[in-house]
Amino acid sequence: MNAVDIKELSHVYTNSKVLHSLSFQVSQSEIFGILGPNGSGKSTLLKILATLLHPTYATHVLIFGEELRTAMQKTRQKMGVVFQKPSLDKKLSVFENLKFQGMIYGFSGNTLLNKIHKLLDAFDLKDRSDDLVEELSGGLQRRVEIAKALIHSPKLLLLDEPTTGLDPSIRKDLWKYLKLLKESDVTCLISTHIMEDADQCDELLILDQGHLLALNTPHNLKKSHEHNVLILQTSDADNIALFIRDKFDLKPTFIDSYLHIETKEAENVLTTVLEAFPNKLSMARISEYSLEDVFVRLTGHRWKT
Amino acid sequence: MENMKQYLLPVYSLWLREIVRFLRQRKRVVSALGQPLIFWALLGFGFQSTFVYPNQQASISYLKYFFPGIIALVVLFTAIFSSFSLIEDKNEGYLQGVFVSPITRLGLVLGKVLGGATLATFQACLFLILAPLVGFSLTLLSVLLFIVLSFLISILLTAFGYCLAWKMDSSQGFHAVMMLILMPLWFLSGAFFPQTNLPWLLKVVMTLNPMTYVVAIIRRVLHWKEMYLLVDTPSLALSFLVILVFLGVTSYLAWRQTNRSFG
């Protein structure tokens, strides 16, 4: 059984369609990423999955085999949600935040205490248990936020841009915990616009303007383009583009006034261009094919966040 | 039994959170009690010498006359604070975590409203300690009645505040509502002055104002043994009925509003 199984999901806000007939599955115990720039519809998708928004249309939206829209209470019990905007009560301690949330899910007594202590252990929060949340650093607050979402031991964790606004070391820290979760059989569905995050997912869905553009492992997405990218900035772009096209049978493209050439022999192309057009290049760069290039190639427009 | 527990535990969680937060914010405790106390002392002593109660047989001092109104104000202030906390919970994201949990929307309203109402009742009871000082003679029965009724009134006002606050996204907006709706309701409730000898228009407004019945029922319970002295005060039964009706209406509206968002 899949953790999430979506078929033909569309959503329309008053006048604009933000999700266009999405269909995809998320297997159990994987870290599934949804990569898209701002406005791609990933937040809407997450809201629908979190039961905060009714989709305009869907053939089905199944969470562990159960229809989200009809078995809402039941699916809510199986899901934890980490919001982009923190949902912690800053006036309460770490312990109290976990306790009150656990009670909301119907746990009490020793069962609840055990759950809290396990989470405090797992997220290395034991020493800070009695501190008010407002006294914690941003990174620690993020950890408490995830612990809170896990208080009822959900099998599926939804994370809406959990790393936005965090500095790189805290991001790394967060991924450490996500990978631990995966090992304990929790499926993570994470939306992000950060390439480094997307790269760490087991599977990645690329979303742009509500359309599903690609769905594969980050590795395969990049492998299907086994090229490097040569990027040139030049005052004589038209002639250089023609030259490269004729000489190497490649198709240079203009992206924001830069010349992009995808090729296996980027060094060779570059030296040839340098010989033929001395002093015409103001910048040249060879980079490995990245998820960003995948996105650019799929959409034909630049990645904007 | 198990089902009942599953239903009540989430409500209890939200309720308890209100209490814990309140006790942790000393300023709130002080301002919710201090403001009415200052009002009562300043206005009470100010009008003491000129106030004449419109019943010659009863000499009710202004401090005593004003006292039930002040209790209503204590409850009103606490209800207002609890509405602020609802706006805060929405703005600071706390409610997101509640919305995605299996708690029913009714459970959410109950937890929030009962939490605020408990605090309001608690404060009203603290104020009751001052009652004997201004000459009210309390009996066990009247104290018990006072507690029960002030709880009902607290639910009514907290639910009303909840309805007003639900759609607001800033506490500034709620300040305006407070000054334009809530305070005038209190001013024209008989808390300040009796209806006797007022222009007819004001009398009509006061008769239609639900807050009038809130103040009336507190006044009647405090005057339990000398109720016959009161003039131009709605009867116990009528006041009780009005309170029950409005309690039902505001609670229903609070629930319906919450249900509409994120069913």
Side-chain angles (χ1 to χ4, degrees):
Chain A
M1 193 202 307
N2 287 312
V4 180
D5 184 345
I6 289 180
K7 196 170 175 206
E8 292 170 337
L9 168 74
S10 297
H11 193 75
V12 183
Y13 283 124
T14 17
N15 280 319
S16 57
K17 198 163 183 180
V18 288
L19 295 175
H20 295 265
S21 194
L22 302 181
S23 299
F24 64 90
Q25 283 101 35
V26 180
S27 318
Q28 288 194 35
S29 314
E30 70 173 3
I31 301 183
F32 185 95
I34 298 171
L35 175 70
N38 286 338
S40 57
K42 56 187 188 315
S43 282
T44 306
L45 179 56
L46 263 275
K47 263 193 192 150
I48 289 172
L49 285 172
T51 70
L52 293 178
L53 192 65
H54 290 286
T56 316
Y57 175 81
T59 308
H60 64 231
V61 183
L62 304 178
I63 306 291
F64 295 105
E66 265 177 298
E67 175 58 49
L68 178 82
R69 289 164 294 174
T70 47
M72 201 188 271
Q73 299 301 90
K74 231 170 155 182
T75 45
R76 275 177 177 158
Q77 191 79 36
K78 291 181 194 160
M79 278 191 288
V81 188
V82 177
F83 301 94
Q84 186 178 1
K85 197 175 154 196
S87 75
L88 298 171
D89 187 333
K90 294 197 166 119
K91 298 275 176 225
L92 298 180
S93 71
V94 173
F95 184 85
E96 287 165 333
N97 263 288
L98 296 176
K99 185 177 117 185
F100 288 144
Q101 189 71 4
M103 284 162 65
I104 286 180
Y105 280 88
F107 296 104
S108 61
N110 280 333
T111 324
L112 179 57
L113 272 182
N114 284 338
K115 279 176 180 296
I116 296 173
H117 286 298
K118 259 191 198 156
L119 284 170
L120 290 174
D121 270 341
F123 286 88
D124 301 314
L125 290 162
K126 202 133 222 180
D127 304 338
R128 313 302 298 269
S129 162
D130 293 328
D131 293 1
L132 294 187
V133 167
E134 63 186 358
E135 292 163 359
L136 302 181
S137 67
L140 278 174
Q141 289 191 8
R142 216 62 208 152
R143 267 196 240 163
V144 182
E145 186 78 43
I146 298 180
K148 182 183 162 187
L150 290 168
I151 191 73
H152 56 295
S153 326
K155 298 295 289 168
L156 171 66
L157 186 64
L158 307 175
L159 302 103
D160 190 10
E161 308 216 22
T163 60
T164 304
L166 296 183
D167 62 52
S169 67
I170 301 173
R171 275 221 311 269
K172 230 174 113 189
D173 182 71
L174 196 112
W175 273 97
K176 185 181 90 189
Y177 292 105
L178 289 185
K179 302 225 155 124
L180 284 176
L181 279 179
K182 182 191 146 117
E183 279 167 31
S184 50
D185 272 342
V186 177
T187 311
C188 293
L189 194 149
I190 170 171
S191 82
T192 184
H193 65 257
I194 296 167
M195 297 296 166
E196 290 88 336
D197 288 340
D199 250 324
Q200 307 213 42
C201 296
D202 298 324
E203 202 153 3
L204 196 60
L205 184 159
I206 300 183
L207 199 62
D208 185 54
Q209 293 168 11
H211 293 278
L212 192 160
L213 295 184
L215 175 57
N216 212 324
T217 64
H219 180 72
N220 283 345
L221 283 170
K222 288 185 283 187
K223 207 173 92 190
S224 56
H225 309 280
E226 253 179 355
H227 301 115
N228 285 332
V229 186
L230 172 63
I231 302 164
L232 300 175
Q233 189 181 29
T234 161
S235 53
D236 201 5
D238 290 332
N239 284 328
I240 294 182
L242 269 175
F243 173 78
I244 294 173
R245 205 183 65 192
D246 295 343
K247 184 128 187 157
F248 294 95
D249 196 24
L250 293 168
K251 284 183 200 137
T253 47
F254 286 98
I255 293 166
D256 287 351
S257 82
Y258 292 93
L259 209 49
H260 281 232
I261 305 110
E262 288 177 24
T263 167
K264 283 181 181 167
E265 34 179 5
E267 286 93 347
N268 189 12
V269 176
L270 179 58
T271 37
T272 319
V273 170
L274 276 171
E275 277 164 18
F277 297 87
N279 300 326
K280 290 283 185 191
L281 295 185
S282 48
M283 190 279 285
R285 195 181 68 196
I286 298 171
S287 62
E288 270 186 28
Y289 210 85
S290 69
L291 282 173
E292 190 166 342
D293 298 307
V294 175
F295 182 85
V296 169
R297 166 167 250 211
L298 287 168
T299 60
H301 59 81
R302 229 170 70 90
W303 174 264
K304 276 178 293 214
T305 51
Chain B
M1 199 57 207
E2 192 56 25
N3 273 343
M4 195 68 182
K5 192 188 144 200
Q6 289 303 309
Y7 191 84
L8 289 181
L9 206 56
V11 177
Y12 175 62
S13 168
L14 292 176
W15 177 87
L16 189 61
R17 173 175 168 263
E18 292 294 308
I19 313 290
V20 170
R21 276 177 64 104
F22 179 79
L23 295 176
R24 203 157 284 173
Q25 290 167 281
R26 294 279 149 73
K27 264 186 247 157
R28 259 180 80 181
V29 185
V30 173
S31 78
L33 284 176
Q35 251 173 316
L37 197 63
I38 291 170
F39 256 55
W40 179 56
L42 292 184
L43 292 171
F45 284 113
F47 287 116
Q48 181 84 320
S49 53
T50 48
F51 177 77
V52 182
Y53 192 68
N55 178 1
Q56 257 97 50
Q57 278 101 58
S59 67
I60 296 179
S61 72
Y62 193 66
L63 276 172
K64 189 173 179 182
Y65 178 80
F66 197 24
F67 193 76
I70 281 296
I71 293 212
L73 187 66
V74 170
V75 175
L76 185 65
F77 271 162
T78 318
I80 289 171
F81 276 122
S82 133
S83 311
F84 278 132
S85 90
L86 180 70
I87 297 174
E88 241 177 67
D89 284 351
K90 277 203 307 180
N91 285 353
E92 292 184 2
Y94 178 78
L95 280 186
Q96 305 172 94
V98 181
F99 281 137
V100 297
S101 78
I103 190 175
T104 59
R105 307 300 105 153
L106 181 62
L108 165 60
V109 178
L110 281 178
K112 261 326 251 189
V113 170
L114 290 181
T118 306
L119 296 173
T121 310
F122 171 70
Q123 310 231 44
C125 291
L126 275 185
F127 241 82
L128 188 66
I129 298 170
L130 297 175
L133 288 183
V134 277
F136 288 108
S137 45
L138 303 173
T139 65
L140 183 63
L141 178 67
S142 68
V143 170
L144 286 178
L145 270 176
F146 178 88
I147 295 172
V148 172
L149 287 172
S150 56
F151 189 54
L152 292 180
I153 293 166
S154 300
I155 296 176
L156 160 64
L157 291 177
T158 314
F160 185 52
Y162 185 104
C163 292
L164 295 176
W166 184 253
K167 285 200 176 139
M168 305 228 163
D169 41 21
S170 75
S171 31
Q172 279 88 341
F174 197 74
H175 271 287
V177 169
M178 188 172 100
M179 294 319 285
L180 286 171
I181 300 178
L182 296 174
M183 290 310 279
L185 280 181
W186 179 73
F187 282 126
L188 293 174
S189 66
F192 257 141
F193 40 78
Q195 280 193 29
T196 325
N197 304 330
L198 285 183
W200 67 270
L201 186 63
L202 270 186
K203 272 190 183 173
V204 171
V205 172
M206 283 172 80
T207 309
L208 293 176
N209 179 3
M211 202 67 186
T212 301
Y213 303 90
V214 167
V215 174
I217 210 162
I218 299 173
R219 191 180 303 287
R220 285 198 174 269
V221 169
L222 289 174
H223 283 275
W224 193 247
K225 282 187 357 199
E226 35 179 22
M227 233 188 279
Y228 57 90
L229 296 176
L230 299 175
V231 287
D232 281 334
T233 310
S235 74
L236 260 184
L238 176 65
S239 305
F240 189 64
L241 192 71
V242 171
I243 287 170
L244 278 191
V245 168
F246 273 89
L247 184 138
V249 171
T250 50
S251 307
Y252 172 74
L253 287 178
W255 171 69
R256 204 183 64 167
Q257 241 173 4
T258 313
N259 227 9
R260 270 198 192 156
S261 25
F262 321 113

